[in-house]
Amino acid sequence: MKKLAGSVRMFWLGLSLLIGAFPVFAQDQAWLQIEAHPELAVAQDRARAYETLFSDVTGFATGRGWYLIALGPQSPEAAAGRLFDLKQQGQIPPDAFISDGSNHGKRFWPQGGLPAVVPAPAPVDEPVIAPAIDAAPTAEPEETLREARASEDALGRDDRRALQAALQWFGFYTAAIDGAFGPGTRNSMADWQNANGFEPTGVLTTRQRAALVANYEADQAEFGFAVVNEPEAGIEITLPLSLVQFDHYEPPFVHFNQKDASDLRIILISQPGDQASLSGLYGILQTLEVVPAEGARKLDERSFTINATSATVQSFAYAETSKGQVKGYMAVWQSKDAARMQRILPMLQASFRSSGDKSLDPGLVPITDEARRGLLSGLEVRRPLSSQSGFFVDATGSVLTALAGTDRCGRITLDRDTDATVRLIDATTGAALLTPTMPLSPMAVARFAAKPPRIGSDIAIAGYSYGDALSAPVLTFGAFEDVTGLNGESELRRITAPVLPGDTGGPVLDPAGNVVGLLLPGGDGARKLPEGVAFAAGAEPLQAFLTGAGVATPGAATGTLTPDALSKQALGMTVLVSCWD
């Protein structure tokens, strides 16, 4: 920190060399502007709080409805070093900046006197400015508008680009860094002036330009931004090396982990691949613990973005495919650091580029099969609380499943990606009807048998027997044993089959591919069924439940399907239903 802070201080000494026509503050005096408030009472309270930390707190009224709190004055060199140190220590807001005081009006703080470091002002009738401060005169500008335009005309292209980069860094400019001052640049300059208590002319004075670029350079030093060229991954990007450091390769990822407990991780992504690989990566990243389910997502033909957020963690991911390669990056941070990331993310986004035709070699470092599986490479996968089976009952993707697996979920997904809600439940059959948040196009839809099969006939159960461990459902075969439950329940069907918990909610089918039941969980908690004995809700009460919900199902099929046709029908209608907290 000491070395980096020194470099910030040194840049003030050579500011005129760094930014050409931008001189150091003419009065050789600088302030740290730390807060601004539209209400006098609020500003007084905040100034009083800062006085418990600093001895040189002063408040000024701009005359345009804002009350500024500042520390100083001091030399520009000392102000730059102090700005860096206090931001690093968290004692002032991250958007505090250096000002030359030209936007300061009348003083409202301290009440009854100025700090010892400031010369005493001329006596005033009242020690505290009255709330009707808007009419107070402000300091004379350093330059008139005509003079500001003239000094701006003398700027070179690099100086103009530096101004646009600084405006972009502070969130006022979003267009290209091209050195051309069009309407977008003018509007962003006016917005910056207005936000910092200056007259919003859209033309920065010499001293305003110096303040803007100086604060931008101070922020760059604070985060330690440096261009990182990863030749193994074929990626060039500017990273905040005061906050992260290279840790290790695990193809397809290059890990930059937190530095000095910064709680920031940045992961570069590089692998051979095409559009299918890009889409697969998009799905994989969303299974990670560090990628919350909430937030905007967008998958295009050539790229994707994920902007995920929760109460505790946030992440941003971007990747693109070009020339047989998939490259991108992901940043992960604590939600409490969101303001800091608003200043870091634009730098990542603006600087990321693919360099050369090389992508990360999967054999660069030896990794286990477990680490390689799913290309997750050491990142912790977000897992559901439980997973079971269900099946499509209409062409828009409505799903029927067991109620027992959905009644305590904070979130439900279908086939890992699509959110769904519980539309209706049936306590009698133990079934739940789910509706996807976006229409789906099932490969197959359930047909319900008109009557129960004969006792002893063959049946098949389709389901995700092993939960979300497998990417597709499986078929399990058994026999139909009875048309009622053990106590004569008419809505139940008894079967024998070697089913597993993940099969719960899946369809029980006859040889024609018709649904004769919905597999229910085994036992009631107090009693355990014999191995191989299971129960299903019958097709007739299930169909009555769906009819009451307004779901029209196709008629029953006749005949006997070939094994391949039965498999296609059964697996095409079966869906993974996952429950999340």
Side-chain angles (χ1 to χ4, degrees), residues 74-335:
Q74 56 202 118
S75 70
E77 178 192 0
R82 189 182 187 192
L83 178 71
F84 175 80
D85 290 339
L86 294 182
K87 282 186 178 182
Q88 287 288 92
Q89 296 161 14
Q91 292 186 292
I92 60 176
D95 57 354
F97 63 94
I98 300 170
S99 168
D100 66 353
S102 61
N103 61 335
H104 294 176
K106 286 187 177 180
R107 175 182 55 82
F108 72 84
W109 193 269
Q111 296 176 340
L114 285 172
V117 296
V118 180
V124 293
D125 293 336
E126 295 293 336
V128 180
I129 292 179
I133 195 70
D134 290 347
T138 59
E140 288 296 319
E142 181 205 9
E143 296 174 332
T144 65
L145 180 58
R146 177 178 295 181
E147 290 169 337
R149 288 188 184 278
S151 65
E152 182 185 86
D153 288 342
L155 299 178
R157 181 179 177 82
D158 289 344
D159 299 329
R160 292 170 173 263
R161 288 168 58 90
L163 281 172
Q164 289 176 325
L167 289 166
Q168 184 183 76
W169 173 252
F170 290 112
F172 295 96
Y173 182 69
T174 58
I177 308 296
D178 55 10
F181 287 0
T185 303
R186 292 297 176 199
N187 291 335
S188 68
M189 287 179 175
D191 290 342
W192 180 87
Q193 289 172 318
N194 189 57
N196 290 282
F198 298 107
E199 184 71 22
T201 64
V203 180
L204 302 182
T205 67
T206 299
R207 291 165 69 183
Q208 289 170 3
R209 294 195 300 267
L212 172 61
V213 176
N215 283 282
Y216 169 68
E217 295 287 350
D219 268 7
Q220 303 310 294
E222 175 188 351
F223 294 122
F225 280 114
V227 176
V228 173
N229 196 319
E230 267 294 332
E232 296 292 346
I235 289 175
E236 182 180 289
I237 189 170
T238 299
L239 298 181
L241 296 184
S242 291
L243 305 178
V244 297
Q245 58 190 348
F246 172 79
D247 192 77
H248 64 285
Y249 292 104
E250 277 184 331
F253 301 130
V254 185
H255 292 263
F256 287 80
N257 287 347
Q258 66 172 337
K259 184 178 182 181
D260 297 331
S262 67
D263 289 327
L264 173 64
R265 284 196 294 162
I266 297 176
I267 301 163
L268 306 184
I269 303 166
S270 175
Q271 68 177 67
D274 52 14
Q275 184 180 353
S277 302
L278 181 78
S279 180
L281 178 66
Y282 175 76
I284 287 169
L285 291 184
Q286 296 185 79
T287 69
L288 304 182
E289 284 284 0
V290 296
V291 182
E294 298 77 22
R297 278 108 162 118
K298 184 178 181 181
L299 173 63
D300 292 330
E301 183 177 350
R302 294 295 180 184
S303 66
F304 69 72
T305 56
I306 301 173
N307 198 349
T309 180
S310 74
T312 57
V313 66
Q314 297 181 22
S315 57
F316 179 88
Y318 171 82
E320 61 189 23
T321 179
S322 177
K323 299 179 180 179
Q325 299 173 347
V326 175
K327 295 182 181 180
Y329 63 92
M330 180 169 68
V332 181
W333 64 94
Q334 299 296 306
S335 297

